[in-house]
Amino acid sequence: QVQLVESGGGLVQAGDSLRLSCAASGGTFGRYGMGWFRQAPGKEREFVAAISAGGRTTNYADSVKGRFTISRDNYRNTAYLQMNSLKPEDTAVYYCAAASGGTYSIRINACDYWGQGTQVTVSS
């Protein structure tokens, strides 16, 4: 059983940056692909970014390409989402997830474990 805890959310202005962290415990972190999703009020949860277990492969939603960067530190059992040039439409609850099936499973929303989410609010 893997536990995931997100942190780093907050209220920022458009154009600002934030870095989200996802700390994992209770499992072998390096065996899982990691991903970030978000859910805005009244909308379905959507894929944001994914990274392979070894960190060599990343995928991004078109809406965040060039602005967000996913990374991981397998020694610290932590995944990160660096968010730059934030826009009001990035406002959402951000969730991290772990998938034994790697980035493909993340892209099809077939994750094994989920965090509780952290709120990101971007004001205009």
Side-chain angles (χ1 to χ4, degrees), residues 33-37 47 49-51 97-99 101-111:
M34 297 297 296
W36 288 93
F37 293 77
F47 166 78
I51 188 167
T103 54
Y104 174 76
S105 293
I106 294 168
R107 289 303 302 260
I108 64 170
N109 204 8
C111 300

Side-chain angles (χ1 to χ4, degrees), residues 1-5 22-29 32 34 76-79 96 98 113:
Q1 187 79 7
V2 176
Q3 292 81 45
L4 303 174
V5 179
C22 174
S25 61
T28 305
F29 182 71
Y32 293 90
M34 297 297 296
R76 290 185 169 84
N77 291 349
T78 303
C96 72
Y113 303 102

Side-chain angles (χ1 to χ4, degrees), residues 26-123:
T28 305
F29 182 71
R31 291 182 179 176
Y32 293 90
M34 297 297 296
W36 288 93
F37 293 77
R38 65 186 182 186
Q39 187 168 19
K43 295 187 177 181
E44 293 187 353
R45 186 171 60 195
E46 65 175 359
F47 166 78
V48 175
I51 188 167
S52 60
R56 292 186 177 184
T57 302
T58 57
N59 300 122
Y60 296 93
D62 288 343
S63 59
V64 306
K65 273 181 186 176
R67 299 189 299 122
F68 291 12
T69 303
I70 188 171
S71 62
R72 64 189 297 158
D73 184 336
N74 284 355
Y75 291 103
R76 290 185 169 84
N77 291 349
T78 303
Y80 304 97
L81 185 67
Q82 177 67 43
M83 305 186 294
N84 298 330
S85 302
L86 282 161
K87 305 175 181 179
E89 50 264 45
D90 294 319
T91 294
V93 177
Y94 282 72
Y95 299 89
C96 72
S100 56
T103 54
Y104 174 76
S105 293
I106 294 168
R107 289 303 302 260
I108 64 170
N109 204 8
C111 300
D112 299 293
Y113 303 102
W114 293 86
Q116 83 290 347
T118 185
Q119 176 71 47
V120 172
T121 303
V122 185
S123 64

